[in-house]
Amino acid sequence: MTEIDTQLVAQLTEQETQEILKLASHYDYPQAASIEALKIVQHYRGWVSDESLQAIAKLIEMSAEELDSVATFYSLIFRSPVGNNVIMLCDGITCWMHGCEQLKNCLSEKLGIDYGETTPDNQFTLIPVTCQGACDRAPVALKNMKLHTELNESSVLALTTLESQNRLGGSK
Amino acid sequence: MSLPEPTQRPLTQHVDHNREAYNLAEYEAHGGYESVRKMLTELSPSAGLELLKASDLRGRGGAGFPTGMKWSFVPMQSEAERLANPMQKYIVANADEMEPGTFKDRVIMEGCPHLLVEGMIVGAAILQATTGYIFIRGEYIEAAEKLNRAISECREKGWLGKNILGSGWDFDLHVHTSAGRYICGEETALLNSLEGKRATPRAKPPFPQVSGLWGKPTIVNNVETLANIPNIINYGAEWFKGLSLTEDAGTKLYGVSGRVNKAGCWELPMGTTARELLEVHAGGMRDGYKLKTFLPGGGSTPLLLPEHLDTPMDYTHIGKIGSRMGTGTMIMIDDQVDFLGALKNLEHFFAQESCGFCTPCRDGLPWVEKTLDKIIRGKGTSADIEWLDRATVNLNMGFTFCAHAPGAMGPLESALKYFRAEFETRIKLHHSETV
Ligand SMILES: Cc1cc2nc3c(=O)[nH]c(=O)nc-3n(C[C@H](O)[C@H](O)[C@H](O)COP(=O)(O)O)c2cc1C
Ligand code: SF4
Ligand code: FES
């Protein structure tokens, strides 16, 4: 790598770089780790900035443009900042029959935000997600990727209590 | 270790939500990985494939395609050729499970991750594949962790890696976690996604069996399909066929969701009726709710009516009454649900999840959603119903690049057939108001 490339990659922490390279070793072509690499960075930073994107692209030998076209395709990759906690409410058919729209209204009212928005204190982002494969326990939501099932108005509001830890992120 | 007596529930016999899933030692103590031993010490790859064909196993991902036949298109090398220079081939588990209303593969992966891993190793031994991937949806974090643990145990024990059981065959397996988008479950889109690209489908032919992942022969199967293979190898094709009540072989992971008393997922003989699933296993509809219609196997399967409840739930029988068994997880829609609203919910999903590659789907599905919305808001006209009728032709098989848009037409077409009056009533209401 040239010096500029090295500087670019240095945008990533040692930990992120090592985790990405380890995943890349599962494939004959490092590009195959693109989605997982984006998820690793998102796991630590909450979202994927332009700088992170360029660094990852360099590391796995893709152009930043190509990686961005991948990043923007997948719904669980965030290319803009999100709150410290991301609440994803399932709007699949079974959860819909079990009143997910009412749950959404409860959350919106409490937090003062609509889908796709973040609270002014940067604590919560609210996003709809497709069927979570837990329809036998509908209605469901993910908070910071953790599944909460058989929600009602009070348990969905309980999701808005703050725990200081974990940001959003996929498994690595 | 000798094999335990065969069971009636080969997929879920070890699934028990009251304890941790079996680790490798526990799984082996219950006959785990014996199918791999048998495959590598007693059976040739072609004998393994013959068993699979004879078992009549059909794909559990939705289409019900015969697995043995699908596998028979993979190019094979002679033993000598392979030992000298093994052909790169891949086996991929489709663990995307994003069909609305579907929650069955999760049960296997969380409840008995070693069963899927065993299915992939024994399947790879039949195909003489060199590398395997489990393509799992991003939200299934617990399942992915359990699978990774099972895989490391297998590497340590030698069920994965170089020269497995001294056979001269090397095989390794990895978990690939995805990041959303329903289209990733379509098998050629899945391959693009696994290569790190946008998940758009590929043209067929060439079929993945010949030219799949990075242009190499590749088999993609659903989790439940692969999980059936170990016991077919252990106990044989006749045993597998004997599990079923009808001509479609084996057991099936069925599910029921909606406003029923006990929603859930159960492994039962293939061909169990929808009525038994609803009334016995799911405890019937909740008090005050009557069944109006149901989707037999996920969001893309055409609606059926209460009068169809006695039909055996298998590929053949459900196909004959104009629907598809799909994933076998039924969504019950009751009489108090705003029916057109439910339909709009489904079409919204399909519109949002279109990969955007071909025009009828990318432009047509949002228009379907918009038209339904217009009718629901009381602004529709009879021309809108006619437009929906045309959509069920123009967005259907043969007019789109993949089966996504045709899948979206399943519930719409059947809704127009069985519940046309509901569309017309909303329009008449509007008409009488405006005249
Ligand atoms: C839009 C779309 C989404 C699909 N999603 C899945 C899925 O999530 N899981 C799955 O196993 N098959 C899915 N399929 C079916 C796959 O294309 C393929 O038929 C299946 O993985 C083959 O495995 P099987 O023969 O074991 O069923 C999907 C198909 C389409 C058209
Ligand atoms: S039918 Fe839809 S999902 Fe399939 S290729 Fe066309 S646009 Fe993509
Ligand atoms: S519809 Fe919400 S989990 Fe399936």
Side-chain angles (χ1 to χ4, degrees):
Chain A
M1 282 193 208
T2 67
E3 195 174 323
I4 297 170
D5 292 349
T6 316
Q7 273 172 15
L8 247 183
V9 171
Q11 300 274 342
L12 302 175
T13 64
E14 185 58 26
Q15 171 104 5
E16 287 166 333
T17 307
Q18 288 317 316
E19 284 181 23
I20 292 171
L21 291 177
K22 176 154 183 272
L23 279 170
S25 75
H26 293 173
Y27 310 95
D28 287 343
Y29 303 87
Q31 296 81 352
S34 64
I35 296 145
E36 290 168 308
L38 292 161
K39 283 175 35 164
I40 286 169
V41 169
Q42 181 164 299
H43 176 80
Y44 291 109
R45 305 175 189 223
W47 65 294
V48 181
S49 67
D50 288 349
E51 291 74 25
S52 305
L53 184 105
Q54 285 163 6
I56 299 169
K58 190 52 76 184
L59 190 63
I60 59 173
E61 301 165 37
M62 277 172 101
S63 75
E65 291 72 18
E66 202 184 345
L67 184 61
D68 203 16
S69 84
V70 172
T72 52
F73 185 88
Y74 294 92
S75 49
L76 296 180
I77 305 288
F78 303 140
R79 282 288 279 117
S80 46
V82 291
N84 291 334
N85 298 280
V86 178
I87 300 179
M88 298 174 167
L89 209 52
C90 175
D91 68 357
I93 178 78
T94 302
C95 289
W96 183 83
M97 290 193 288
H98 282 278
C100 69
E101 287 185 348
Q102 286 87 303
L103 298 182
K104 190 259 168 179
N105 292 340
C106 283
L107 283 175
S108 279
E109 202 170 298
K110 172 89 187 283
L111 296 171
I113 51 172
D114 203 341
Y115 275 145
E117 295 177 351
T118 299
T119 52
D121 64 0
N122 208 35
Q123 283 302 344
F124 290 98
T125 299
L126 192 59
I127 298 176
V129 282
T130 61
C131 173
Q132 288 299 306
C135 326
D136 51 339
R137 294 168 281 168
V140 310
L142 296 174
K143 181 183 178 185
N144 301 331
M145 295 309 272
K146 187 173 174 303
L147 183 69
H148 297 264
T149 60
E150 290 174 35
L151 293 170
N152 54 37
E153 297 196 355
S154 69
S155 58
V156 85
L157 287 179
L159 297 181
T160 64
T161 50
L162 283 178
E163 330 141 28
S164 50
Q165 9 107 315
N166 224 3
R167 279 167 160 273
L168 174 115
S171 70
K172 292 169 274 159
Chain B
M1 134 116 235
S2 63
L3 274 177
E5 282 299 297
T7 142
Q8 296 293 108
R9 293 193 299 119
L11 298 172
T12 54
Q13 56 174 334
H14 302 313
V15 175
D16 179 351
H17 296 297
N18 299 314
R19 57 156 172 78
E20 287 291 301
Y22 281 158
N23 63 24
L24 179 59
E26 290 163 329
Y27 186 65
E28 283 178 334
H30 291 85
Y33 293 97
E34 283 307 305
S35 70
V36 177
R37 190 187 306 282
K38 183 167 177 188
M39 214 26 247
L40 292 180
T41 56
E42 293 172 32
L43 297 178
S44 66
S46 59
L49 182 62
E50 285 313 312
L51 247 177
L52 201 55
K53 279 195 205 156
S55 76
D56 289 345
L57 173 65
R58 296 177 67 167
R60 305 296 198 234
F65 193 82
T67 307
M69 195 205 290
K70 177 168 176 169
W71 288 30
S72 66
F73 295 106
V74 173
M76 296 301 289
Q77 293 176 297
S78 71
E79 170 102 6
E81 281 170 340
R82 186 175 57 75
L83 289 175
N85 186 15
M87 189 193 295
Q88 185 87 292
K89 291 188 240 179
Y90 298 99
I91 181 167
V92 179
N94 190 341
D96 200 46
E97 186 146 88
M98 284 188 70
E99 174 83 10
T102 302
F103 48 95
K104 65 179 186 73
D105 298 337
R106 185 202 273 276
V107 172
I108 296 176
M109 295 187 289
E110 291 183 355
C112 192
H114 273 293
L115 181 64
L116 173 60
V117 173
E118 181 178 357
M120 294 199 70
I121 301 176
V122 73
I126 295 173
L127 298 162
Q128 294 294 308
T130 44
T131 307
Y133 295 103
I134 299 173
F135 185 101
I136 187 167
R137 69 180 292 183
E139 297 97 325
Y140 279 10
I141 290 173
E142 183 186 335
E145 283 171 355
K146 287 180 169 174
L147 288 165
N148 270 321
R149 216 171 304 143
I151 288 171
S152 338
E153 286 180 303
C154 283
R155 279 201 197 109
E156 231 164 84
K157 188 75 191 277
W159 291 116
L160 284 170
K162 300 254 175 256
N163 193 19
I164 300 170
L165 291 185
S167 61
W169 171 62
D170 305 342
F171 178 68
D172 204 3
L173 181 58
H174 304 285
V175 174
H176 175 105
T177 68
S178 184
R181 298 311 293 273
Y182 172 59
I183 194 63
C184 291
E186 196 281 336
E187 70 176 41
T188 60
L190 184 150
L191 295 177
N192 276 337
S193 187
L194 202 45
E195 290 183 7
K197 300 175 181 153
R198 291 167 78 95
T200 49
R202 297 177 178 178
K204 291 189 276 194
F207 289 90
Q209 294 99 306
V210 181
S211 173
L213 203 54
W214 297 296
K216 301 291 194 308
T218 305
I219 277 291
V220 181
N221 274 116
N222 174 257
V223 168
E224 187 185 347
T225 313
L226 293 165
N228 271 304
I229 299 177
N231 288 299
I232 292 175
I233 297 298
N234 285 338
Y235 302 113
E238 290 313 311
W239 164 81
F240 187 70
K241 288 196 272 196
L243 291 170
S244 152
L245 303 173
T246 56
E247 330 52 287
D248 289 351
T251 60
K252 180 78 193 74
L253 281 176
Y254 292 110
V256 175
S257 75
R259 284 190 283 211
V260 298
N261 284 313
K262 288 181 296 174
C265 175
W266 315 274
E267 181 182 11
L268 293 164
M270 180 70 86
T272 301
T273 62
R275 185 181 303 283
E276 183 183 328
L277 293 171
L278 172 62
E279 291 176 2
V280 179
H281 302 282
M285 301 301 292
R286 288 190 190 169
D287 268 353
Y289 298 96
K290 243 181 83 200
L291 177 67
K292 174 178 183 145
T293 177
F294 64 102
L295 298 135
S300 66
T301 57
L303 294 161
L304 291 174
L305 301 174
E307 68 192 60
H308 296 125
L309 281 174
D310 293 309
T311 312
M313 283 277 287
D314 68 16
Y315 302 100
T316 313
H317 285 89
I318 297 294
K320 277 191 192 145
I321 54 172
S323 186
R324 290 186 300 115
M325 184 167 75
T327 60
T329 38
M330 311 199 294
I331 305 164
M332 315 315 280
I333 299 178
D334 59 74
D335 58 341
Q336 329 240 329
V337 167
D338 165 15
F339 173 71
L340 291 182
L343 187 62
K344 191 186 109 176
N345 172 283
L346 285 170
E347 298 306 331
H348 167 76
F349 166 80
F350 289 111
Q352 169 186 295
E353 296 301 319
S354 165
C355 85
F357 181 84
C358 67
T359 316
C361 173
R362 181 188 60 237
D363 288 0
L365 288 179
W367 199 257
V368 167
E369 183 190 350
K370 222 186 269 181
T371 307
L372 285 171
D373 185 60
K374 190 176 162 199
I375 295 173
I376 289 169
R377 283 186 296 108
K379 305 275 187 222
T381 65
S382 54
D384 290 314
I385 301 186
E386 283 160 30
W387 189 85
L388 290 175
D389 281 331
R390 279 204 305 281
T392 64
V393 177
N394 294 328
L395 272 68
N396 230 319
M397 284 298 181
F399 294 91
T400 60
F401 192 59
C402 86
H404 175 82
M409 292 303 102
L412 179 64
E413 193 175 357
S414 51
L416 286 161
K417 176 165 99 187
Y418 294 131
F419 301 105
R420 199 171 190 87
E422 302 214 5
F423 293 79
E424 284 165 350
T425 309
R426 296 250 186 150
I427 281 162
K428 275 199 206 109
L429 270 176
H430 159 60
H431 210 68
S432 57
E433 278 162 21
T434 48
V435 173

